[in-house]
Amino acid sequence: MAPPGPEKYVYVPVQPGQTPPTAFVAQQGGMVPVYGTHPGTLPPSHYGNIGACPIGQMARVDLADGGRPAASAPAPTHPAHPAVHYVQPGAMPVQTTQPRQSSPAPSAPFSVTINGELHSLDKVDLGMTLNEFIRSLPNLKGTKKSCGEGGCGACTVVLSYMDGGGTQHKVSVNSCLRPLAACNGMSITTVEGIGSKKTGYHDIQQRLADYNGTQCGYCSPGFVMNMYALLEKNPNPTEEEIERYFDGNLCRCTGYRSILDAMKSFAVDHNSSRGCCPSTKAAFPDIEEMCSHSNPPPSAVGKCGGTVKACKKGGVCCRSKGAVATTNLADDERIWCTPTSLKEVFDTLARHKDKRVTFIVGNTASGIYKDRQFDVYVELRCVAALYQVQQTRTGVSFGAAVSINDFIKRIEDMAANPGDFNLSRDQVALFPKYLEGLHRIANTQVRNAGSIGGNIRLAHDYPFPSDLFTVLMGAGASITVCGSDGMKLLATTVSCEALLAMDLTGRVLLSVELPFSQPQQHFQYFKTAIRHVNSHSLINAAFSCTLSASNVISGAVAVFGGLAAHICRMHELEKFLEGKPANAATLAQALALLQKITMPDPQFGRNEYRAWLVLAKFYKFFLSLVPNLSPSLQSATMPVKRPVSQGHQLYPLNEDEFPLNKPMPKLTAVQQTSGEALYTDDLVAPEGTLHAAFILAPQAPATIHAIDSSVAMAMPGVMRIILAADVPGNNQTLNGVPLFATTDALYPGQPLGLVVAKSQAMANAAAKAVHVVSSLLRPPVFDIQTAVATKYFFDAKPDRVDRNPPTTADWAECDDVIEGSVACGSQYHFHLETHTALVSVRDNGLIQVTSANQLPTYVQQCVAGNLLVPLSDVVVESPRLGGGYGGKLSNAAVTSAAVAVASYVMDAPVKAVVDLNSNMKIFGKRHAMLVKYRAGFKRTGGVPRMHCVDLDAYIDSGCVPGPDTLGTAYTYLVNCDNAYSVPHFASGCTLTHSETPSHTYTRGPGWTQAVFVMEHILEHAAVALGSPAADLKIANFYQKNETSVVGMRLEQFNLQTIWKQLLESSELKKRAKEVELYNRQNRWTRRGLAMCPVKFGVDFKGNHHSAAVHINPDGTVVVTHSGVEMGQGIHTKVAAGVAYKFNIPVELVKCRNANTDGAPNTGASGGSTTSALCTEAAMKACDTLMDRLNPVSIMSPDLNPSKDWPALVQKALQAGINLQAKGDVCHGAPPVGGPFTYNSYSAAVCQVHVDVLTGEMEVERVDMLYDCGVSLSTMIDIGQIEGAFVFGLGMYMTEAIQYTPAGEMVTDGTWEYKPLSALDIPWDLRLALLDNSRRNKYGVMSSKCVGEPPLALACTVLFAAKNAIASVRAEHGLEGYFPLDAPATVDAISSALALRPEHLDLSA
């Protein structure tokens, strides 16, 4: 069969040493398989044959009969680039072909299959994503949208399609990045498509629930679908393969351990005795059996293509026998073309040569570069020529549209089994080295969708530090580019470096050739990022050279990404290394040269660190070349291989109080894992609902001169702009910041108004189009260090906490005095569900607010104030939250009030779902703090004891010191003693000003920083006084019944017990010796150990909560309480308390969402107290009901209340007894003095591994012992402890908030802001709950809180890293104390290591 197109001839170059990747010289005589491949790579039907051609000349192939294939081979069915002229750069073509036809192919209808149901559309909105389309369909709200950047995985679905090369794919992708138009002819499976309550839950859904792998549940469908895709691809994965597959799914709640345990239970190498279901201990079905039933059940599968047969292809569209036919789509603004050949691609380019054109395969670039605007989209997935994978004489060629993961898989297969591809081990010797870099590209979902050509094009077009392109350039890969001169197609093969200099306008990347390994060739790839996975490179590097038997370097290649605007080679270094021996002298001279020529581009920040990484990475590579390298240096050449993580939990049980204390998952867990749980954005909006997006101030502090909305108002679907003048009420939030700014902007990102439109996407786009004219009043301040240095303070002064404040005489009594300062940065809550509100007006004028919030009463007050209506006219409902962590306390009222104003103005229901970037700019975060301290110790025998402490804290309030700032200051002040007894104590704070949002409560507000500060002081003292930190700390603990600095009698103080038990169970002293030995033996990697305690004060005073309990005639029970379910398991604990009181199965109890009509005037859900207080309130209501039921039971001796519960209820109803009751709790002054009802105690030991050359760190092991009292729900509390600890790891290690000097927020999305991933958690996490023989008489059912205290324990990791750093500094004469602020990011750790270029030598 002849190839498509009118061309008669194709010219294939046969040049010495260079052959295009689409053909290779099979023999020295010049035989060229035009469609060629090495035997074993493609079937024989792909071969063509031509006569012998002398090397160095062009071979002409007659295409009239398919290339005159050899008699023994049939005509090729997938010709390799059949209409391309290969020419050397700058050469002229030698044959003119017939002109192209200009008429486009007829358009085909658009259709996509979702969960087996075919959806055909006459018109497609080219701006609509697959995520938006899925969520617009009835009952398909399980697929979430959070970041919109492909960085969190909440939107994961499974995509089934056939590419242009005829390969079938079934992969997990980010639906938020994929245009709907790019799904033509494809099949999509969402979480609803694999299982539900109605059809039966899928094993993945059920198992994730049973393992307590879901808390808020917003991320759960994404995890489920990613695992589903993996098992569809590989029914027998290993535990390691499973863990690494989750590099693209974020969870803010669980700490990942329970999720990974659930998923690893499907592994072929899973140890069932170690990882079986914690709640049921049940056996699970065989993996093969499970996978054989993993397709949607027949009842859930729709009809296909108008036939009457249900689809049985497992989600793969049976209409797709090959690639989709040429398709042209258009909306009012854009054109979408899906050509099926290279000729059609260039026809399309010619037709639209005056328009903005882009190529599309996976569209993953839109997650980074969001504001790109194009007129024409050319989708390349159906062009067969771009999917060819062929072996050439010099390497392996991959079509540019091949996905990154397919690229990786093929390289893995060749490296593992080269003989299967007629390759030798020597030819693929370096392929495993290439894979070290390729595996760190983006994440699984992005690699599944993105193509190698698209990634390369990003490296060409943008300052993008591509890991792929760095590997390719370092490996010496070549890239073939196809263009057209208007008459014919021209292909040019160039180096990676030459590609960067090419103008690619009107050209298509055709293929990439990865060269075979050469004898004596060395290759290394290095990458440093803020987070271990799914994190762009700060610096990446690839090095290659040949090392002779006499140890002489030749052919050196040195490539760096992230250093300059584009990935670059260090030619001066390469030239210097040529012919040099790999010895100390060469190293020293090369490093000196690198120092001279390294000039980091300042646009990427961290300039000094990036310059250092250039030296460090070259040094690592050079060490790999040195023969007989000293053992102490070898750690620099061996990358850390992360093992499969593991967790261990040990906890006591009290069966007498079951279902309280019983280890069981959340009652709604499987609803969350199946996508059936509904959040605010999932609820059905009233007909005619409009949508709103915030207009943001571009700079501050600034005067606003004008808000020009003319462009926005002209955009499709835009209805109105709403500004401060439209607010009928006070235009205020309850933290003192205007709802909409008027004349002055207090911080960049402050809301100036709303755009109201017919869809959320339209509103978001229009809000960006509003032009704000403003002028800066003064240089902005964004960090607390600058605020303190410039005394940029507010006048308000929180009350001090002093106990016998130290006098001059007291200080004189001290034998040792230390002083210093320590800072703790801000942190974003990163709730995956962004701020969302829906406001409508009922028939009676009642304003219905449905809002993702933690404090309905606050929202009610803010809405009423801005609408100027009484509180009775506003009812607020709080559905379950997709995460809160304090971020939906005061912050949530802003969105709700703004949307309420829009609803009032438009006289229509209005909804707003704030996009992540705006969410991070608008709303307050954790308060950054800087604390100056002075501490004095007395040596009265034994270990030194603290005698005096003076703390002076500075707290970043943001633009206004609102109530949350004052509350955070208070919790800091009353907790800053942590666990330590100090006779003379003084602590005060100053509120600083910055051009940032008014900051708010964030999980563990104030006291988390307080613990960090006091532990920093003790660690400082241990160094200065020469005392082991663990000994110094326990010697300074409070004693039982001692009075704390805030006047609390510590009658239940048990930290000595916890400390001693943990010392023994963690084997701290033994491991400390092992760490010391390791550090002596390894110069370039170090380990560190640390141990820290936490005393957390729990305050019940004035915290009002209520619960209404009613019993239905069938014996089921409904509870409406004031707490908001946000992942902490409050509904499960309340239900368990009610079931315990009534002695009935917990399954009979249901909890309803909180609302201000059912539970008015109540407190916030936060502070680690709400679950206990709502449980207490519900149990009080149960006591009232049992008092009413007991007489009925006595009068019916034949009834057993526990067994005949429904009958007892019926008798009570017949007797006219009211089976509804309400319980309220509002505790008074604490019974033990001071501000706290009781304290929670815990301790942790952490061990870390630090790469001395880069500052990168791994957490090897964590041991925690936690006093939970008698847990209300053991399994839930364990999840809360682990989740809080990992939340804290992010705070202390990776999550830095950054602004540019001009005021642009750098960390406004997943590209720059990095909460921990599943591959950042401790390798070994061991948690034990204290087997507490002493019950907590002040807690609800003897329980203690768990939601926040473990967060502070995470500072132990920072101090472990600090101890590892100290061992390095000591070797360079830098002994003694040094500061290390939080977060201790890789660059901060590197700076603390204080290495200099002269340290990079070959000495042992």
Side-chain angles (χ1 to χ4, degrees), residues 109 132 175 193 253 324 361 395 522 599 624 786 944 1090 1153 1157 1159 1200 1220 1261 1328:
E132 291 170 320
S175 63
C253 298
V324 176
V361 178
H522 292 250
M599 296 183 0
S624 72
T786 302
N1153 293 334
D1157 277 0
N1200 183 331
Q1220 180 176 1
R1261 176 174 163 183

Side-chain angles (χ1 to χ4, degrees), residues 593-609:
L593 175 62
L594 266 180
Q595 282 183 269
K596 179 181 177 181
I597 64 178
T598 297
M599 296 183 0
D601 189 320
Q603 70 173 304
F604 301 117
R606 299 183 173 93
N607 294 343
E608 291 183 8
Y609 178 57

Side-chain angles (χ1 to χ4, degrees), residues 673-855:
T673 60
S674 65
E676 295 169 315
L678 298 179
Y679 302 79
T680 300
D681 187 32
D682 302 332
L683 302 175
V684 177
E687 185 177 353
T689 296
L690 301 174
H691 302 265
F694 284 105
I695 302 166
L696 307 184
Q699 59 181 353
T703 298
I704 301 168
H705 302 293
I707 299 175
D708 181 0
S709 59
S710 57
V711 174
M713 287 301 299
M715 296 174 70
V718 176
M719 306 294 289
R720 177 155 179 171
I721 305 296
I722 294 176
L723 303 174
D726 298 306
V727 180
N730 59 17
N731 191 39
Q732 284 292 313
T733 62
L734 299 185
N735 62 7
V737 178
L739 181 65
F740 298 140
T742 53
T743 58
D744 296 310
L746 302 179
Y747 64 94
Q750 182 179 1
L752 306 181
L754 288 174
V755 172
V756 180
K758 293 181 179 180
S759 75
Q760 191 65 59
M762 290 174 175
N764 290 348
K768 293 180 180 179
V770 174
H771 178 58
V772 180
V773 181
S774 63
S775 57
L776 276 177
L777 297 173
R778 58 183 177 277
V781 172
F782 297 110
D783 63 277
I784 195 166
Q785 289 81 2
T786 302
V788 172
T790 59
K791 296 185 178 180
Y792 195 28
F793 302 150
F794 289 108
D795 293 334
K797 279 277 188 180
D799 293 337
R800 297 179 58 85
V801 170
D802 295 334
R803 184 179 73 168
N804 302 323
T807 63
T808 302
D810 297 325
W811 288 109
E813 294 175 358
C814 298
D815 298 302
D816 300 277
V817 175
I818 61 171
E819 56 185 314
S821 66
V822 63
C824 189
S826 183
Q827 183 184 27
Y828 174 56
H829 307 85
F830 214 95
H831 33 71
L832 289 181
E833 176 198 36
T834 57
H835 284 284
T836 307
L838 169 63
V839 179
S840 60
V841 180
R842 296 180 182 174
D843 292 341
N844 58 2
L846 186 66
I847 299 164
Q848 172 73 46
V849 181
T850 305
S851 167
N853 75 86
Q854 296 175 243
L855 184 48

